[in-house]
Structures are given as structure tokens and as C-alpha cells.
Amino acid sequence: MRKGIHPAYRPVVFRDASAGFQMLTRSTATSEKAVEWEDGRTYPVVDVDVSSASHPFYTGRGRVLDTAGRVERFNRRYGKA
């Protein structure tokens, strides 16, 4: 890789506050905030809205959408008379 053109790739903590979930990984994401990790070191922290701990697909708390009702309503509204 060429020197000086790539962002710094370093350890970063991603935190999902809604689920109380934190994950330490490597990233080029930057943040002004920092958090002390379990190993005693301080890492930049990036707050995320959704993670695998809070996403309905991974948690199994997904909603079942009524697609048949939506199609029927669409056909009544815009279908041939």
C-alpha cells in the first residue's frame, strides 16, 4: 500500500446503547469519544443505532407484515374498476 493515503486502521469500540452491547474490532472509523475497555486501555467509541444484539432479524423479535392485506388494499384503491 502507498504511504500517507490511507486512513488509520486501529482498534475501535462499537457500542449499541439500546441493547447494552459493545464490540471491540478494528476499523477506520473515527470518534471524539473514548471508552476504557476490559483490558484497561482506552479506545475510540462509535455509537450505533442497530447491532446484532438489537436487530429483529438476529433477536427473533421480528414483526410479521400483512402483505396480503396490503395487496388487496392496493388493488381496491388503484385496481381496474
Side-chain angles (χ1 to χ4, degrees):
M1 293 190 334
R2 289 179 36 199
K3 300 279 184 194
I5 64 168
H6 300 285
Y9 186 65
R10 63 187 185 287
V12 176
V13 174
F14 287 93
R15 176 173 58 191
D16 182 358
S18 65
F21 177 71
Q22 296 183 17
M23 176 179 59
L24 178 64
T25 186
R26 295 182 59 86
S27 176
T28 59
T30 59
S31 176
E32 297 294 323
K33 296 184 272 183
V35 67
E36 186 173 331
W37 191 248
E38 301 161 354
D39 61 2
R41 295 182 182 170
T42 303
Y43 298 105
V45 63
V46 176
D47 291 322
V48 295
D49 295 329
V50 177
S51 70
S52 61
S54 63
H55 194 279
F57 178 80
Y58 295 106
T59 60
R61 294 185 312 224
R63 298 180 308 200
V64 176
L65 298 176
D66 181 21
T67 56
R70 290 182 180 189
V71 170
E72 290 169 3
R73 187 171 48 229
F74 177 84
N75 285 335
R76 275 197 314 256
R77 193 177 286 173
Y78 302 108
K80 295 180 181 179

